[in-house]
Amino acid sequence: MDDDQVFKALADSTRRHLLDRLFERDGRTLTELESELEMTRFGVMKHLRVLEDAGLVVTRREGREKLHFLNPVPIRLVHDRWIDKYTEHRVAALADLKHQLEETA
Amino acid sequence: MDDDQVFKALADSTRRHLLDRLFERDGRTLTELESELEMTRFGVMKHLRVLEDAGLVVTRREGREKLHFLNPVPIRLVHDRWIDKYTEHRVAALADLKHQLEETA
DNA sequence: ATCTTACGTGACCAAAAGGTCACATGTCAA
DNA sequence: TTGACATGTGACCTTTTGGTCACGTAAGAT
């Protein structure tokens, strides 16, 4: 769960998309995640490996399947690196505002 | 302030170091930030440009100097993408625990 | 036993990113 | 106005990364 691995893992849009899918619903298999993407199984597997090495995804084997789960803790640590407790309220309010503006747009 | 630009900007350790410096104290110039790094001015300038394009750093010209300021809002948006309000408390508690463990280690 | 399904590895290639340099513009001071 | 300082641009090279493929292992179904 090294710093650099986390940030590098988040830098690719395909990997972020995979995290989005797991955020919607956990416990998916490689095959299931692959079916949604315009990419070979090998590409998706590589991406999942990067996410797992970074600690953003944890896995559990179930027979011949491998189930993938999202781990949000490293993302919170990213947050805490540049947002201290004193400014968090103000920044969170600005972020909420942005979310609302995007909903109505 | 595009998604991809933010994540790509955070993916490099030199750029994260620059954000750390600005987190400590805002309003630094290129020359000041350069002096702390084992890199030519041109490299640092490129990195600052990437951070600025991503919206993580905002700047103001002051005569022949350019002052750099940290903008934490995009980082909060990263947080909100995969940590909803319901799980935030639990995850924040885990992250705090990790911070404490690192202090005593 | 054998066939299918699901995951895994290493080599390989093309595209993107990090870093440096020659050269250039604008600003302040004497 | 001359010189020093602070920032800026485009070309260039090297390293890293994203993606595919041939080949391989292992678990469930028939």
Side-chain angles (χ1 to χ4, degrees), chain A residues 83-101:
Chain A
I83 299 177
D84 56 62
K85 293 226 166 77
Y86 303 99
T87 52
E88 180 171 353
H89 271 82
R90 188 175 54 81
V91 174
L94 283 172
D96 287 346
L97 178 63
K98 183 148 194 304
H99 290 311
Q100 288 181 352
L101 289 175

Side-chain angles (χ1 to χ4, degrees), chain A residues 81-82, chain B residues 14-28 32-33 36-37 68 70:
Chain A
R81 179 163 177 175
W82 292 296
Chain B
T14 302
R15 288 196 287 269
R16 293 196 297 275
H17 178 78
L18 288 169
L19 291 181
D20 289 339
R21 287 288 153 280
L22 294 178
F23 181 59
E24 277 178 19
R25 182 168 54 78
D26 264 331
R28 306 203 198 217
E32 184 178 357
L33 291 166
E36 304 168 350
L37 290 172
H68 298 76
L70 172 63

Side-chain angles (χ1 to χ4, degrees), chain A residues 29-31 41-42 45 61 64 66:
Chain A
T29 66
L30 165 62
T31 312
R41 177 174 60 88
F42 308 99
M45 193 159 44
R61 283 218 73 124
R64 63 179 163 183
K66 186 175 182 182

Side-chain angles (χ1 to χ4, degrees), chain A residues 12-27:
Chain A
D12 182 82
S13 70
T14 302
R15 288 195 288 268
R16 293 196 297 275
H17 178 78
L18 288 169
L19 292 181
D20 289 339
R21 287 289 153 276
L22 294 178
F23 181 59
E24 276 178 20
R25 182 168 54 79
D26 264 331

Side-chain angles (χ1 to χ4, degrees), chain B residues 18 27 52 59-60 68-69 82 91 99 102-103:
Chain B
L18 288 169
E52 189 175 357
T59 61
R60 192 176 70 227
H68 298 76
F69 301 86
W82 293 295
V91 174
H99 290 310
E102 278 164 0
E103 276 170 20

Side-chain angles (χ1 to χ4, degrees), chain B residues 23-72:
Chain B
F23 181 59
E24 277 178 19
R25 182 168 54 78
D26 264 331
R28 306 203 198 217
T29 66
L30 164 62
T31 311
E32 184 178 357
L33 291 166
E34 173 209 344
S35 66
E36 304 168 350
L37 290 172
E38 302 270 319
M39 193 185 296
T40 64
R41 178 171 61 86
F42 307 100
V44 179
M45 192 159 43
K46 257 194 179 178
H47 285 306
L48 286 172
R49 172 67 184 275
V50 172
L51 289 169
E52 189 175 357
D53 287 348
L56 287 161
V57 164
V58 290
T59 61
R60 192 176 70 227
R61 284 219 72 126
E62 197 102 341
R64 62 180 163 182
E65 293 183 333
K66 186 174 181 181
L67 307 181
H68 298 76
F69 301 86
L70 172 63
N71 177 24

Side-chain angles (χ1 to χ4, degrees), chain A residues 56-69:
Chain A
L56 286 162
V57 164
V58 290
T59 61
R60 192 177 72 228
R61 283 218 73 124
E62 195 102 342
R64 63 179 163 183
E65 294 184 332
K66 186 175 182 182
L67 308 181
H68 298 76
F69 301 86

